[in-house]
Amino acid sequence: DQQVKQNSPSLSVQEGRISILNCDYTNSMFDYFLWYKKYPAEGPTFLISISSIKDKNEDGRFTVFLNKSAKHLSLHIVPSQPGDSAVYFCAEGGSQGNLIFGKGTKLSVKP
Amino acid sequence: EPEVTQTPSHQVTQMGQEVILRCVPISNHLYFYWYRQILGQKVEFLVSFYNNEISEKSEIFDDQFSVERPDGSNFTLKIRSTKLEDSAMYFCAAGTSGYNEQFFGPGTRLTVL
């Protein structure tokens, strides 16, 4: 059974500080992971991905870290901005290209 | 930047009625997907579509669901006889390969009464 777990339903961070969003997965067969951001009444927006051959991928303020031995990945946002306030979904690439999503973490960045 | 578009944004229907949800994927994308999100729950995969046929479907995608790409641009999801539990946000997504990021449309909110 493929499962992606985001155990923190919410996170509150001060503007300018680092936001760290965490995700655990159970099935290590598949070789890429993604983070999406979602605002209310909009579809998920792709942020950043990482292949299992890497342990880190960086794009501007966003960095994703992959720890394969722990089956854990995290998204770091630094510095956090109020516009980053949204729900963040971790996703795993499935066997047929479908994405398996976690339940999401609602990030609130306070000015 | 090209976007995936979906229509309608909100559809209200009576239980037992048929609905068709429409999507226009990004033109150079070849892989198409439907997902749904019931309020308060995860985004769930329904079906993937490539080369004019279904490549994978989940357990949710039973006989009441169907997909097609009738004219080479629109990608549709049909629910033949809607049930109350079909009420959800339905997202269309598209990608350039089967193993890469997918780009999502804004969603259609389906309300079954």
Side-chain angles (χ1 to χ4, degrees):
Chain A
D1 184 30
Q2 300 171 335
Q3 283 199 4
V4 175
K5 293 180 180 175
Q6 293 177 257
N7 291 319
S8 298
S10 63
L11 174 68
S12 183
V13 171
Q14 205 66 34
E15 181 179 6
R17 305 294 291 268
I18 185 170
S19 296
I20 300 176
L21 299 138
N22 293 302
C23 178
D24 297 298
Y25 60 94
T26 56
N27 191 333
S28 51
M29 269 185 66
F30 309 112
D31 62 359
Y32 69 107
F33 302 88
L34 311 93
W35 283 95
Y36 282 81
K37 172 168 117 173
K38 187 179 181 301
Y39 293 116
E42 293 185 12
T45 302
F46 170 73
L47 274 177
I48 192 168
S49 63
I50 188 166
S51 161
S52 63
I53 63 173
K54 294 185 172 183
D55 53 18
K56 177 182 174 182
N57 189 26
E58 191 171 352
D59 183 2
R61 296 186 298 115
F62 301 92
T63 304
V64 55
F65 294 92
L66 177 62
N67 182 334
K68 289 186 287 293
S69 60
K71 295 185 181 178
H72 178 83
L73 67 156
S74 60
L75 175 69
H76 292 207
I77 306 173
V78 56
S80 302
Q81 299 172 354
D84 296 329
S85 298
V87 178
Y88 287 78
F89 292 97
C90 167
E92 179 180 27
S95 59
Q96 299 293 330
N98 56 298
L99 298 179
I100 301 150
F101 285 87
K103 277 193 164 183
T105 297
K106 183 175 181 180
L107 174 66
S108 299
V109 180
K110 300 186 185 310
Chain B
E1 186 176 318
E3 292 181 341
V4 177
T5 59
Q6 290 185 243
T7 55
S9 57
H10 190 189
Q11 174 91 48
V12 181
T13 189
Q14 294 290 325
M15 190 170 57
Q17 295 296 304
E18 174 183 286
V19 294
I20 297 176
L21 311 182
R22 291 182 169 81
C23 169
V24 179
I26 300 168
S27 61
N28 63 337
H29 287 190
L30 302 176
Y31 294 78
F32 311 113
Y33 308 84
W34 283 101
Y35 293 82
R36 79 173 185 192
Q37 186 180 28
I38 295 171
L39 187 64
Q41 297 188 23
K42 294 183 181 186
V43 176
E44 300 174 290
F45 168 73
L46 291 178
V47 65
S48 58
F49 191 86
Y50 170 70
N51 201 24
N52 276 325
E53 60 183 28
I54 290 173
S55 49
E56 183 65 15
K57 57 185 181 180
S58 71
E59 293 176 352
I60 303 168
F61 194 88
D62 61 22
D63 291 344
Q64 70 162 343
F65 292 92
S66 61
V67 289
E68 63 176 1
R69 198 161 182 238
D71 56 11
S73 61
N74 289 286
F75 178 49
T76 63
L77 174 70
K78 182 192 289 186
I79 310 175
R80 262 181 275 281
S81 177
T82 49
K83 300 183 279 222
L84 294 176
E85 54 265 37
D86 293 328
S87 295
M89 284 291 290
Y90 287 80
F91 296 106
C92 171
T96 55
S97 78
Y99 296 94
N100 214 328
E101 63 266 25
Q102 296 172 21
F103 297 91
F104 284 74
T108 293
R109 179 175 297 283
L110 176 65
T111 302
V112 182
L113 302 176

